[in-house]
Amino acid sequence: AICSPQNYPLYIRSVPTENELKFHYTVHTSLDVVDEKISAMGKALVDQRELYLGLLYPTEDYKVYGYVTNSKVKFVMVVDSSNTALRDNEIRSMFRKLHNSYTDIMCNPFYNPGDRIHSRAFDSMVNSMMMQVC
Amino acid sequence: PGSSASSDPIWSGHSPPPHQENWVSFADTPPTSALLAMHPASVQDQTTVRTVASATTTNEIRRQSSSYDDPWKITDEQRQYYVNQFKTIQPDLNGFIPGSAAKEFFTKSKLPILELSHIWELSDFDKDGALTLDEFCAAFHLVVARKNGYDLPEKLPESLMPKLIDLEDSTEVGEQTGEVGYSSSPAEAPPSKSPSMPSLNQTWPELNQSSEQWETFSERSSSSQTLTQFDSNIAPADPDTAIVHPVPIRMTPSKIHMQEMELKRTGSDHANPTSPLLVKPSDLSEENKMSSSVKFTAGNTVTDGYSSSDSYASDPEQIGSTVTRQRSHSGTSPDNAAPPPPPPRPHPSHSRSSSLDMNRSFSVTPGQQQAGVVAYPPAVPPRPQPSQGAGPHVHRPVDADGLIAHTSTSPQQIPEQPNFADFSQFEAFAVSGVNKEEEDEIETHSEVLQVEKPADSASSLRVAKADGRVEEKAPTNVPTTAGKGTTPLAPPPKPIRRRLKSEDELRPEAEEHTQKTGVIAAVLASQPSIPRSVGKDKKAIQASIRRNKETNTVLARLNSELQQQLKDVLEERISLEVQLEQLRPFSHL
């Protein structure tokens, strides 16, 4: 998910699984943690990984990763903890790709910052990325 | 409208001909009407007119060029129209259209923002937020196609790739894209795009897509190729840049360089080391020569790229390669020697092999080089002189006078060719151990001569690895002596005598040589400083390259002159040898 500085989602994408709404809710809750971190550290605003939840709920094990750009655009990624193959480097690379794609979208003069992201190229990129993980 | 409906089925990715036909049929229907139907409200709009005009031209062109398989191909008329539109926004055809201007322009086409955004994503290939001429044409073409009912593809068709500077390229690629250009799976696009990638004409500042990676790869490869070519072509340049110290020296005669190098290493002046070496051929020169020669002998090992490079450089010289040739070798060797990194290594081995072959050939044929003596590069003659001069203590009863005279003159030459002297002395030194037959007096000379003598394994080794000059000396001396002198004495002594005689002969030329060598030394001296000061400035490197080239030409001229002198000296040598032979019977008696 990509959230704007005003914390409204610009883009939300989930692997087709059930409980998609749960992921949305998780993303929303993670925004609070993100804001916490942003306000905490005055310097480095780019946190490649600022949120890591081992176990939110006993019944739920997933990890939420956060990433903030210099313009306070937040990327939130929720991954299944059972996917132990995911390493921190991979998460970072995924965020990097997300950031690059987001930058490409911003370069489009037809895109107004704050709009939902409808770019097909972006969608394809995100899809491919998610397919890699899942 | 019906046109769009008819075009949609076509757009399902059928074979190109149907598309073409559909396109043509579409064109048959009043294109203007279709366009107008799509944009009823834009009649008054300038863009509508533009679009209509473009569509009209497009349709007409389509009819005419029914052979095209790719609807995404931009025809000449279309392209011209696009270019004109581009000029209205950006007069400079090589410039960019900023995103805002492009946005306004394409917004006039009344396409939904979402589609315009998608078109932009497709056409802005380098993702820089601005459109180049090709990108603009691609975007325009997509707008036109969309207006005509064609669905936008997921990936940019190859024919619309920004690299379509030449329509020829697009036409060539169009056939491929004909099958891919449609809204087909992206998987097809990359494979077809990849072949066309190498034909990129533009640079891609940002490459995020996989296809872009192909381009980058080609770019990188090309750039690397250019770099390699640069290296190979301008070998000296690299040494200059990479090697500050060794490079300049290598450019010039290796012997001189060697001497200079040694001098520098020892921290002594150019003149001083040479003179002491000359004066004391036994110790300093020998030591230096030993070190240098050792390096040369061990030249194979790139322990000291400097020395090894010198050896390599000398080898070419020995072989009589032109100065440029030497330069090439030295250029390669400096590369090897100067830059510690691996890249130079291949050069050393490469040059080494070549030089070794030459050396071996030389060493093998020393005895047989009588005829080939003259053929040796001119550089050899002058050098032997210094070495000969370096051996002042070498004196023969017969040639004592001459030797002395030579020695006196040779010192002059020695400074000019310290390296050479070093080699000769070294060789003589090494050979002395081998050739004990030689007279003590002639040790120095014999050493040198021994070096010349291919028979000695040590000498041959030295020759193989030592400077070419030495070999040149040896061959020249040996052949002359062997051919001319009597054979009663051991071969080593003969060469020595020859050398002495040659010294006499060369004496008159020594001055000339000294002058020339002085020039060379001066040039050489300046060269080492050049690369240092240049540092890693490319321009400076090029300047140093030019200087080196000039030096090379100067050296080439010098070589030719020395060759002439060598010939004269050889003639004199022959006469002297005849005299010696005449005198020998007396001594035996």
Side-chain angles (χ1 to χ4, degrees):
Chain A
I2 298 181
C3 298
S4 75
Q6 288 76 31
N7 285 343
Y8 61 83
L10 297 176
Y11 182 84
I12 283 192
R13 195 64 174 274
S14 321
V15 178
T17 59
E18 64 280 1
N19 298 335
E20 188 164 336
L21 198 59
K22 180 190 73 174
F23 291 129
H24 292 192
Y25 175 71
T26 305
V27 169
H28 203 272
T29 55
S30 65
L31 290 178
D32 285 337
V33 187
V34 172
D35 285 341
E36 253 184 61
K37 303 254 177 157
I38 291 179
S39 59
M41 52 181 63
K43 307 176 191 177
L45 298 178
V46 178
D47 300 322
Q48 300 241 342
R49 174 195 165 171
E50 61 176 19
L51 191 61
Y52 182 85
L53 300 179
L55 274 177
L56 259 189
Y57 308 110
T59 58
E60 292 167 335
D61 53 338
Y62 53 84
K63 304 171 189 173
V64 185
Y65 295 101
Y67 184 97
V68 178
T69 68
N70 291 332
S71 58
K72 296 285 182 18
V73 176
K74 308 171 192 60
F75 300 135
V76 180
M77 189 165 10
V78 180
V79 297
D80 196 1
S81 290
S82 59
N83 193 346
T84 57
L86 276 183
R87 296 194 312 269
D88 185 52
N89 289 337
E90 296 176 7
I91 303 292
R92 291 176 190 272
S93 68
M94 287 170 70
F95 272 127
R96 209 176 302 120
K97 281 200 283 187
L98 264 179
H99 198 168
N100 288 336
S101 302
Y102 180 75
T103 307
D104 294 341
I105 291 174
M106 298 301 286
C107 288
N108 192 331
F110 299 104
Y111 172 77
N112 300 321
D115 293 349
R116 302 290 298 254
I117 295 176
H118 298 285
S119 160
R120 286 181 240 174
F122 186 78
D123 288 346
S124 61
M125 188 280 298
V126 172
N127 278 338
S128 63
M129 213 164 63
M130 293 204 300
M131 290 306 141
Q132 281 180 358
V133 176
C134 309
Chain B
S3 60
S4 62
S6 63
S7 61
D8 288 338
I10 298 171
W11 208 243
S12 59
H14 294 320
S15 60
H19 289 279
Q20 186 58 41
E21 295 173 359
N22 293 329
W23 184 258
V24 173
S25 63
F26 178 79
D28 290 340
T29 62
T32 58
S33 66
L35 291 172
L36 291 175
M38 294 177 70
H39 308 276
S42 62
V43 176
Q44 302 172 358
D45 197 345
Q46 178 184 1
T47 58
T48 305
V49 175
R50 155 180 69 83
T51 307
V52 171
S54 65
T56 308
T57 57
T58 301
N59 292 331
E60 292 174 357
I61 294 169
R62 288 295 178 186
R63 292 195 203 110
Q64 295 170 1
S65 61
S66 59
S67 59
Y68 283 119
D69 293 332
D70 175 27
W72 290 117
K73 201 169 300 180
I74 301 179
T75 63
D76 292 340
E77 290 190 22
Q78 286 176 319
R79 189 165 197 83
Q80 191 56 42
Y81 186 82
Y82 300 156
V83 172
N84 293 336
Q85 291 295 319
F86 185 92
K87 287 181 187 172
T88 61
I89 306 176
Q90 168 68 271
D92 180 16
L93 287 182
N94 290 329
F96 291 90
I97 289 186
S100 56
K103 176 180 176 180
E104 294 176 10
F105 183 80
F106 286 112
T107 306
K108 291 191 227 171
S109 66
K110 302 297 184 188
L111 282 181
I113 294 291
L114 182 59
E115 298 189 4
L116 289 176
S117 174
H118 187 64
I119 289 175
W120 176 275
E121 282 182 2
L122 291 177
S123 57
D124 188 2
F125 206 74
D126 46 12
K127 298 287 186 285
D128 58 356
L131 295 181
T132 65
L133 180 59
D134 283 340
E135 291 174 345
F136 177 83
C137 292
F140 208 138
H141 199 65
L142 286 171
V143 169
V144 169
R146 190 76 187 102
K147 281 192 161 179
N148 292 336
Y150 281 83
D151 288 336
L152 295 177
E154 287 297 330
K155 289 263 184 160
L156 190 66
E158 285 195 19
S159 59
L160 293 181
M161 287 292 189
K163 65 177 172 63
L164 299 178
I165 291 183
D166 298 331
L167 283 180
E168 297 174 359
D169 293 344
S170 63
T171 55
E172 292 174 354
V173 179
E175 295 177 358
Q176 295 178 2
T177 51
E179 305 167 359
V180 183
Y182 315 131
S183 57
S184 55
S185 62
E188 296 177 359
S192 60
K193 284 179 187 173
S194 56
S196 62
M197 288 306 177
S199 63
L200 286 176
N201 297 330
Q202 297 179 355
T203 57
W204 309 104
E206 301 175 7
L207 301 178
N208 299 328
Q209 303 171 7
S210 60
S211 62
E212 291 172 342
Q213 292 173 0
W214 279 93
E215 297 166 3
T216 51
F217 178 80
S218 64
E219 281 183 350
R220 266 186 265 115
S221 61
S222 64
S223 63
S224 64
Q225 289 172 1
T226 55
L227 287 175
T228 54
Q229 291 172 359
F230 177 81
D231 292 343
S232 59
N233 295 336
I234 313 180
D238 289 337
D240 293 340
T241 56
I243 306 171
V244 175
H245 184 72
V247 175
I249 295 179
R250 297 211 178 107
M251 300 308 296
T252 56
S254 61
K255 298 263 171 101
I256 298 177
H257 290 298
M258 286 254 321
Q259 186 62 30
E260 293 178 353
M261 287 163 48
E262 292 177 353
L263 296 178
K264 290 172 185 176
R265 291 170 187 170
T266 59
S268 59
D269 299 339
H270 292 288
N272 294 337
T274 57
S275 56
L277 292 172
L278 298 176
V279 174
K280 296 181 183 178
S282 60
D283 296 335
L284 292 177
S285 59
E286 288 177 355
E287 289 177 357
N288 293 334
K289 289 177 184 176
M290 286 297 292
S291 62
S292 62
S293 58
V294 170
K295 290 172 186 175
F296 281 86
T297 54
N300 293 330
T301 63
V302 190
T303 56
D304 185 351
Y306 210 77
S307 59
S308 63
S309 63
D310 288 343
S311 64
Y312 298 143
S314 62
D315 291 337
E317 295 171 355
Q318 297 173 357
I319 299 175
S321 61
T322 61
V323 176
T324 58
R325 186 176 173 187
Q326 295 173 1
R327 188 190 177 102
S328 65
H329 283 280
S330 61
T332 56
S333 59
D335 293 337
N336 305 330
R345 286 170 201 162
H347 290 291
S349 63
H350 181 73
S351 62
R352 184 189 315 163
S353 62
S354 63
S355 63
L356 282 176
D357 293 340
M358 295 192 298
N359 292 333
R360 278 176 191 161
S361 65
F362 281 111
S363 63
V364 171
T365 61
Q368 307 166 359
Q369 288 171 347
Q370 302 177 6
V373 174
V374 180
Y376 280 103
V380 176
R383 293 171 192 153
Q385 297 174 5
S387 61
Q388 296 174 356
H393 49 267
V394 180
H395 52 174
R396 287 195 173 188
V398 178
D399 299 333
D401 296 343
L403 293 174
I404 294 173
H406 282 293
T407 58
S408 63
T409 57
S410 58
Q412 298 174 2
Q413 300 172 357
I414 292 171
E416 300 165 356
Q417 300 173 348
N419 296 332
F420 191 71
D422 293 340
F423 285 119
S424 60
Q425 291 183 6
F426 171 78
E427 293 174 349
F429 195 75
V431 177
S432 62
V434 178
N435 298 333
K436 298 178 181 178
E437 304 172 350
E438 306 196 352
E439 305 170 359
D440 299 338
E441 301 173 345
I442 310 174
E443 279 186 4
T444 58
H445 284 282
S446 63
E447 290 174 354
V448 179
L449 294 173
Q450 290 173 355
V451 175
E452 301 172 349
K453 236 187 152 176
D456 293 332
S457 61
S459 62
S460 62
L461 287 177
R462 280 194 316 252
V463 170
K465 307 194 178 177
D467 293 347
R469 291 183 190 175
V470 177
E471 290 183 352
E472 290 174 352
K473 281 191 312 181
T476 56
N477 292 332
V478 172
T480 57
T481 57
K484 301 166 186 176
T486 57
T487 60
L489 295 177
K494 280 185 185 178
I496 298 171
R497 292 174 187 168
R498 301 293 176 202
R499 188 163 293 181
L500 297 176
K501 291 179 182 177
S502 62
E503 289 178 352
D504 294 336
E505 298 173 354
L506 295 171
R507 192 196 320 177
E509 304 171 353
E511 297 177 353
E512 300 177 0
H513 289 294
T514 56
Q515 294 174 0
K516 294 175 185 176
T517 54
V519 174
I520 297 174
V523 175
L524 296 175
S526 63
Q527 289 182 354
S529 62
I530 293 175
R532 296 168 186 166
S533 61
V534 172
K536 297 176 182 179
D537 186 359
K538 284 194 175 178
K539 291 187 177 179
I541 292 168
Q542 293 173 358
S544 64
I545 292 170
R546 287 192 294 272
R547 285 193 293 268
N548 289 330
K549 286 183 181 176
E550 295 172 357
T551 305
N552 284 338
T553 55
V554 169
L555 292 174
R557 271 185 262 120
L558 178 60
N559 282 336
S560 61
E561 293 174 357
L562 292 176
Q563 280 175 349
Q564 290 293 332
Q565 292 176 359
L566 173 61
K567 290 178 183 177
D568 299 337
V569 169
L570 289 176
E571 293 175 358
E572 294 177 0
R573 183 180 302 171
I574 294 172
S575 63
L576 288 175
E577 288 174 356
V578 169
Q579 294 176 5
L580 176 63
E581 291 176 6
Q582 292 175 358
L583 292 174
R584 275 180 197 169
F586 292 112
S587 64
H588 286 299
L589 297 177

